[in-house]
Amino acid sequence: MRTPFAILTLALVIALVLGGLWIGQHVNLLPVDASANAPVYDELFRVLFSIGAILFLGIVGLVVFSLIKFRRRPGQLEDGLAIEGNLPLEIFWTAVPAVVVLFVGLYSFDIYDRMGGMVPLVHDAHDHQMMDMKEQIWGGIGSVADASSADNSLAALAVEVTAMQYAFLFHYPQGDIISGELHVPLGQPVTLRMESKDVIHAFWVPEFRIKQDIIPGQPTLLNFTATKPGRYPIICAELCGPYHGNMHTKVIVEAPGDYDTWFNNNAKTTVSEA
């Protein structure tokens, strides 16, 4: 007895969905996760990858099936059947993408909120180092995503980032250090206040899963906590001129003791008050 078409279709859809979910959960195309924000972002990537895998396999499978099933047979010279109008099919291919887009939008907003995108943006620094509070911070990630991965008792390390064609400069107000590389201690929250001197740039660390535009005249903020020691690339992800491809540097995540050594070796001596 031939299996009913509806049961066969349902079985294929279930197999397709399970296969896409398996691909999304077991195929990892991302670099190593090295910040508290990374696991949160990776949740969204796995969901999007699963949806993409289901759509890709389903569409390619349908196209291959159609090429085989409805191919022109030898000696078949007449035109194909003029079929038009299928209300259930039109409702299906309208409703399903609408539900998927709505789900992805809401879930993306939740991920952005969990990463700190909806937190009021305040630059955390000592009083004598703070920016003018009347100056508006225009955008950024305002909090560390996963507090459990960092010691909440640690004060945030404030670093001022200046972007220009074609380099990043990092200024540590405490110690008055200017560096072409970003040095941060492992497990301590870091607050970057970023400004551009010319055109729009973007601060992107793939391993941290963070990217933020740096806009001239509109300071932006970016907070993160590094969770794995190492050297990770900082890339400008916004086309900023003919040498845009060469605008990159490193963020160096060090154990607290190694960071203190670097800081003490590079900090400018201050004149003690009488």
Side-chain angles (χ1 to χ4, degrees), residues 2-270:
R2 184 178 179 182
T3 304
F5 178 75
I7 297 178
L8 179 59
T9 301
L10 180 60
L12 289 175
V13 170
I14 293 175
L16 176 63
V17 172
L18 293 177
L21 293 175
W22 185 92
I23 292 174
Q25 295 297 320
H26 293 85
V27 178
N28 184 18
L29 302 179
L30 295 173
V32 62
D33 58 311
S35 79
N37 277 335
V40 181
Y41 173 88
D42 289 355
E43 290 181 25
L44 177 62
F45 180 85
R46 285 191 291 269
V47 170
L48 296 179
F49 195 32
S50 297
I51 295 173
I54 293 171
L55 293 176
F56 176 79
L57 294 176
I59 292 172
V60 170
L62 184 61
V63 169
V64 172
F65 170 79
S66 299
L67 289 174
I68 297 173
K69 176 68 175 178
F70 304 108
R71 71 188 185 280
R72 183 187 292 271
R73 301 307 198 272
Q76 190 177 22
L77 302 178
E78 68 274 11
D79 292 335
L81 296 176
I83 301 174
E84 62 179 67
N86 189 319
L87 184 59
L89 183 59
E90 292 175 2
I91 293 175
F92 174 80
W93 71 40
T94 301
V96 170
V99 171
V100 171
V101 170
L102 180 62
F103 167 76
V104 170
L106 294 175
Y107 189 60
S108 300
F109 180 84
D110 177 65
I111 293 295
Y112 183 63
D113 183 34
R114 288 163 58 188
M115 290 179 68
M118 305 305 296
V119 174
L121 301 176
V122 177
H123 187 63
D124 186 12
H126 296 293
D127 291 340
H128 66 284
Q129 298 164 350
M130 288 186 67
M131 66 175 190
D132 183 2
M133 295 307 294
K134 295 181 181 180
E135 184 178 19
Q136 182 179 0
I137 295 294
W138 288 82
I141 300 296
S143 71
V144 179
D146 186 2
S148 64
S149 64
D151 185 352
N152 291 329
S153 65
L154 292 175
L157 172 65
V159 182
E160 297 171 355
V161 182
T162 301
M164 63 187 71
Q165 294 173 316
Y166 297 93
F168 293 101
L169 291 179
F170 303 97
H171 176 238
Y172 296 74
Q174 183 180 7
D176 195 20
I177 301 172
I178 297 178
S179 173
E181 296 178 329
L182 177 61
H183 289 253
V184 299
L186 180 69
Q188 180 174 351
V190 178
T191 298
L192 303 182
R193 180 183 179 273
M194 305 186 292
E195 288 185 307
S196 171
K197 293 298 184 181
D198 36 49
V199 299
I200 297 177
H201 300 277
F203 182 95
W204 179 35
V205 184
E207 287 79 3
F208 290 178
R209 314 290 196 265
I210 54 175
K211 181 166 64 174
Q212 176 62 51
D213 283 347
I214 309 177
I215 306 171
Q218 299 182 0
T220 52
L221 200 67
L222 188 62
N223 285 13
F224 66 89
T225 300
T227 57
K228 291 183 180 178
R231 301 171 64 93
Y232 307 107
I234 300 174
I235 304 168
C236 178
E238 192 77 38
L239 181 60
C240 58
Y243 298 102
H244 159 74
N246 289 326
M247 186 171 173
H248 52 79
T249 182
K250 297 284 187 182
V251 53
I252 302 173
V253 182
E254 304 170 298
D258 295 333
Y259 170 79
D260 290 340
T261 300
W262 173 86
F263 184 88
N264 293 330
N265 289 339
N266 290 275
K268 295 181 180 178
T269 55
T270 57

